[in-house]
Amino acid sequence: MTLYDELVARGLIAQVTNEEEIKEMINNGKATFYIGFDPTADSLHVGHFMALCLMKRLQMAGNKPIALIGGGTAMIGDPSGRTDMRSMMTKETIDHNCECFKKQMSRFIEFGEGKAQMVNNADWLLNLNYVDFIRDIGACFSVNNMLRAECFKQRMEKGLSFLEFNYMPMQSYDFYYLFQHYGCNMQFGGNDQWSNMLGGTELIRRKLGKDAHAMTITLLLNSEGKKMGKTASGAVWLDPNKTSPYDFYQYWRNVGDEDVLKCIRMLTFLPLEQIDEMDKWEGAQLNQAKEILAYELTALVHGKEEAEKAQSAAKALFSTGGDLSNMPTTELTDADFSDGKIGALTLLVKCGLAASNGEARRLIQQNGVAMGDAKMSDAAAQYDKDTFAGDGVILKKGKKVFHCARLA
């Protein structure tokens, strides 16, 4: 099976231009391709996961990735998939987020001479003269065509700022610039980026002639992957300080039955033959598939040692033989107690199970949290130090979030 055929079989290809040329290039390691990441936070999240895995697969086959950090485009904000305008970030915040992205990407992609490259579009976009840009690049875009793009259509009723309207020409200019200066001949992105990507392909052809080879691929479900990054309690980050390896493991361990094999196929590096056999699994076997998914992805992001710790902690909760010490834990000190006691609300906030006393109170009133085997039913409850002695006590939020509280 060729690499392109494998990408199709894994459900990663949605739309392409120049399919036969794309097949020939990526199958023979001739593609220099880029994927863009706008630094809207100080960590990548699981919504970026599919793109990172794709870059890794293509690099393993000899193709050269360019990780484009959108330090320039983040100054505007991508309107794709948005119902409102993104919050404006300072340049200092954007620069900090870019540095965080670089560290995390290095776990997936091998950077260096003749290998993957990392570039920041702030290096060329922030130096552009606006009048020169709209004369040279703006003349290549039809406003009528732009307004038909899905990313703009969905914003027209609620209002689309002129600031955001500049995003498509600027992203298109990225491909044009990378094509000229880095030999980049292919771009990848999610379905929500299709109009922006076609704009880049068309810009190259208009500026450099029809013989210029610029190709476009979109990833199936990459837009859905962005939704994957959100849960009821917030985002699932790749930074272990924001989402612990255990919580990351549990996120994948708790995917729906209907999604687990799809995620294994798209995101893991298990052989397709093995995954095809798993397609036949039903009932309790799907729980085994979820454990495989959770372990493989946690090992990929945080390393095998952390994956094994997370797996052991999960088994300690749901079966026997696991090591409870690997569960996310908060150690309580004397400063956390008043007259030898700690309140229920303070405890939940201290352990990170609630962001505020108000949220903690609502959780208790809605029977959303348990201590040990019993629901926490009294928001005014006070617990003495002995409650947390020894191995501590297990707090459970909902059905999926577990946390240990014990004395330091």
Side-chain angles (χ1 to χ4, degrees), residues 329-343 346-347 350-351 383-386 388-389 404-408:
T329 299
T330 295
E331 294 191 338
L332 303 174
T333 66
D334 289 341
D336 297 312
F337 294 85
S338 178
D339 295 327
K341 295 183 180 295
I342 186 171
T346 302
L347 176 64
K350 175 72 177 179
C351 292
Y383 304 99
D384 58 31
K385 289 185 179 180
D386 290 343
F388 309 97
C404 178
R406 67 185 179 206
L407 292 178

Side-chain angles (χ1 to χ4, degrees), residues 354-382:
S356 65
N357 284 351
E359 182 182 337
R361 182 176 287 106
R362 287 191 294 273
L363 274 174
I364 293 173
Q365 292 172 344
Q366 295 167 5
N367 292 319
V369 63
M371 176 181 281
D373 295 327
K375 290 285 187 182
M376 293 179 72
S377 57
D378 183 4
Q382 299 281 324

Side-chain angles (χ1 to χ4, degrees), residues 209-277:
K210 294 182 179 179
D211 293 334
H213 290 286
M215 305 174 193
T216 302
I217 292 181
T218 68
L219 308 181
L220 183 67
L221 297 176
N222 200 32
S223 307
E224 193 170 306
K226 292 180 180 179
K227 298 174 187 175
M228 277 186 197
K230 302 289 184 181
T231 68
S233 59
V236 179
W237 305 101
L238 304 193
D239 182 346
N241 295 315
K242 295 170 77 71
T243 297
S244 71
Y246 173 83
D247 288 332
F248 187 84
Y249 178 96
Q250 284 296 105
Y251 172 78
W252 296 108
R253 172 62 181 79
N254 291 305
V255 299
D257 289 356
E258 67 280 6
D259 292 327
V260 59
L261 270 300
K262 180 170 62 179
C263 289
I264 288 176
R265 191 174 293 277
M266 291 189 298
L267 301 176
T268 76
F269 287 78
L270 295 177
L272 282 171
E273 295 81 6
Q274 179 181 348
I275 300 173
D276 288 341
E277 287 297 316

Side-chain angles (χ1 to χ4, degrees), residues 32-36 66-68 171 174-175 178 184 186-188:
T32 298
F33 67 96
Y34 95 89
I35 298 180
I66 297 175
L68 173 66
Q171 180 173 324
D174 283 341
F175 193 20
L178 292 173
C184 180
M186 197 176 297
Q187 59 179 334
F188 286 75

Side-chain angles (χ1 to χ4, degrees), residues 48-88:
H48 298 111
F49 207 75
M50 188 181 298
L52 293 169
C53 291
L54 177 73
M55 296 176 87
K56 184 178 179 72
R57 291 184 204 280
L58 290 168
Q59 186 176 44
M60 290 168 62
N63 298 285
K64 294 181 180 179
I66 297 175
L68 173 66
I69 308 297
T73 41
M75 299 287 284
I76 293 178
D78 184 0
S80 302
R82 301 284 297 189
T83 58
D84 56 0
M85 184 172 166
R86 294 180 186 272
S87 299
M88 298 289 285

